[in-house]
Amino acid sequence: MDSVNLKLPCYFSRTVSSISNRIKEKSVRILAFGFSTCGFLVLLHAGIYQDDMFEVSNEYGATVTVKVIYLLLSTCAIGAAVVLPWSMLNKEKSFLAEAGDCLYLIGSAYILCWCLLQLLLQQPINSGAILLLLIQILAISCLSSNGLQVNEWVEIAALYYMGMTGHFALGNSNTLATIDVAGAFIGISSHSTILSGILMFMITYASPLLFLLCLVMYIGAKLRNHSHSTISTHRETSLGQILKLKLGFPCLVPLCINSILLTAYTVVLLLMRNHLFVWSVFSPKYLYVCATTLCTYIGVCIVAITVTYTFFVTTFLRSNRTTRHNNIS
């Protein structure tokens, strides 16, 4: 009788582990299928309408296709962020390793969705630049995964400035004349100032938002590298302390850099407000800086919400698993 009682917890844990692995495999397969479908539709759309942006905005079939792509991309991104933390439970891994794997996959989903969206919205000539930006992100991810000994704030600052460099590589400048207005009406069947403005913002700040979204994958890689550090070995470390340690620099460094730039430009603008060319030459640059501030806040909020949600879900699942195991034993 005692041997049967001893076998029950082991059998139950193996059953839960196998179910969790099957759920994880199904989730990854569904996401892979969604991304494959989106990629096929984007390539099909680009192959048909790449030479005529006016036709894209007016033809009904093209508008429906773009709306389907929008729906699939948003579903894949939100679904990855919401579902993956619930399907990554693995008793053989530590808390940080489990959360790191989940965040790495979510960050990869964010990046892939954003790149596919930009391939749809950007001019065809910018496809090569988007591919190069993606290669840079993958290279940085490989360096972070290999445990390269560099200060964390230096890596995050480098990511931030690479995003701003990509902003100019995609054809943007400090003048309002370089804003891509044609792409802001792709997939919109009727005139909408709000929707067009959102799409225009996405097109203009494609690169900065891409590198801000890759911070989710960066945090996941760092968590996997530090899964055997003192943070994971001390069980008395609270969830709040882990969040402060792992979420502090990725959120504070971009905000601090942007705040310094915004303050400097504001002071210069106030000091030179009576100059002849300030409002005609310098004011567009100041508008770009203000929009960059909004972009930074949006990206940091997405990173913070994603990491916090993943941590809380992982903690909840691990505590429930421990409770069930104790009740059975």
Side-chain angles (χ1 to χ4, degrees), residues 150-161 218 249 253 257:
V150 181
N151 289 332
E152 190 173 355
W153 70 270
V154 175
E155 294 179 343
I156 298 169
L159 284 173
Y160 180 82
Y161 280 110
Y218 171 83
F249 273 118
V253 171
I257 294 175

Side-chain angles (χ1 to χ4, degrees), residues 188-263:
I188 299 178
S189 55
S190 60
H191 178 71
S192 175
T193 305
I194 297 176
L195 293 178
S196 299
I198 293 174
L199 290 177
M200 194 181 302
F201 182 82
M202 290 181 176
I203 295 171
T204 306
Y205 287 93
S207 178
L209 277 174
L210 175 63
F211 279 87
L212 286 172
L213 291 176
C214 84
L215 289 177
V216 177
M217 189 169 65
Y218 171 83
I219 294 172
K222 289 297 182 182
L223 287 174
R224 293 196 300 183
N225 290 337
H226 299 162
S227 59
H228 300 292
S229 65
T230 56
I231 298 177
S232 60
T233 55
H234 293 290
R235 295 186 178 181
E236 65 273 9
T237 304
S238 64
L239 179 62
Q241 291 175 329
I242 297 176
L243 281 175
K244 289 179 182 178
L245 290 172
K246 296 303 177 184
L247 195 58
F249 273 118
C251 290
L252 290 178
V253 171
L255 291 177
C256 290
I257 294 175
N258 186 263
S259 298
I260 293 172
L261 294 176
L262 181 62
T263 303

Side-chain angles (χ1 to χ4, degrees), residues 296-310:
T296 304
Y297 274 96
I298 292 174
V300 168
C301 287
I302 293 174
V303 173
I305 292 172
T306 302
V307 175
T308 305
Y309 172 77
T310 303

Side-chain angles (χ1 to χ4, degrees), residues 27-275:
S27 301
V28 173
R29 288 177 182 176
I30 291 173
L31 288 175
F33 176 75
F35 287 131
S36 301
T37 305
C38 292
F40 174 75
L41 290 177
V42 169
L43 292 177
L44 181 64
H45 183 272
I48 297 175
Y49 301 104
Q50 64 177 351
D51 296 329
D52 196 348
M53 297 294 292
F54 181 78
E55 186 179 357
V56 174
S57 302
N58 289 275
E59 187 174 337
Y60 177 76
T63 303
V64 172
T65 303
V66 173
K67 288 182 178 179
V68 171
I69 295 173
Y70 288 161
L71 179 62
L72 288 176
L73 288 177
S74 58
T75 303
C76 289
I78 298 174
V82 174
V83 175
L84 283 179
W86 295 93
S87 59
M88 295 294 292
L89 186 63
N90 190 347
K91 67 175 184 178
E92 297 178 357
K93 292 184 178 181
S94 63
F95 171 79
L96 292 183
E98 187 176 332
D101 290 340
C102 185
L103 287 173
Y104 195 87
L105 288 177
I106 294 174
S108 302
Y110 283 169
I111 292 171
L112 189 55
C113 284
W114 191 254
C115 288
L116 290 175
L117 179 62
Q118 295 306 318
L119 287 176
L120 178 66
L121 297 177
Q122 295 280 347
Q123 297 289 339
I125 196 173
N126 289 334
S127 301
I130 294 173
L131 179 61
L132 290 177
L133 293 175
L134 181 60
I135 292 174
Q136 288 178 347
I137 290 176
L138 294 177
I140 294 173
S141 175
C142 291
L143 292 177
S144 299
S145 300
N146 292 331
L148 186 64
Q149 297 298 324
V150 181
N151 289 332
E152 190 173 355
W153 70 270
V154 175
E155 294 179 343
I156 298 169
L159 284 173
Y160 180 82
Y161 280 110
M162 287 176 67
M164 296 308 300
T165 304
H167 171 73
F168 295 103
L170 291 175
N172 299 292
S173 65
N174 292 327
T175 62
L176 301 179
T178 56
I179 295 178
D180 186 9
V181 181
F185 295 93
I186 296 178
I188 299 178
S189 55
S190 60
H191 178 71
S192 175
T193 305
I194 297 176
L195 293 178
S196 299
I198 293 174
L199 290 177
M200 194 181 302
F201 182 82
M202 290 181 176
I203 295 171
T204 306
Y205 287 93
S207 178
L209 277 174
L210 175 63
F211 279 87
L212 286 172
L213 291 176
C214 84
L215 289 177
V216 177
M217 189 169 65
Y218 171 83
I219 294 172
K222 289 297 182 182
L223 287 174
R224 293 196 300 183
N225 290 337
H226 299 162
S227 59
H228 300 292
S229 65
T230 56
I231 298 177
S232 60
T233 55
H234 293 290
R235 295 186 178 181
E236 65 273 9
T237 304
S238 64
L239 179 62
Q241 291 175 329
I242 297 176
L243 281 175
K244 289 179 182 178
L245 290 172
K246 296 303 177 184
L247 195 58
F249 273 118
C251 290
L252 290 178
V253 171
L255 291 177
C256 290
I257 294 175
N258 186 263
S259 298
I260 293 172
L261 294 176
L262 181 62
T263 303
Y265 282 116
T266 303
V267 171
V268 171
L269 191 65
L270 290 175
L271 292 177
M272 303 294 293
R273 63 185 180 275
N274 295 323
H275 196 276

Side-chain angles (χ1 to χ4, degrees), residues 4-21:
V4 174
N5 292 332
L6 290 174
K7 290 180 180 179
L8 281 176
C10 298
Y11 175 76
F12 180 78
S13 62
R14 287 196 299 268
T15 304
V16 171
S17 179
S18 62
I19 293 174
S20 176
N21 291 332

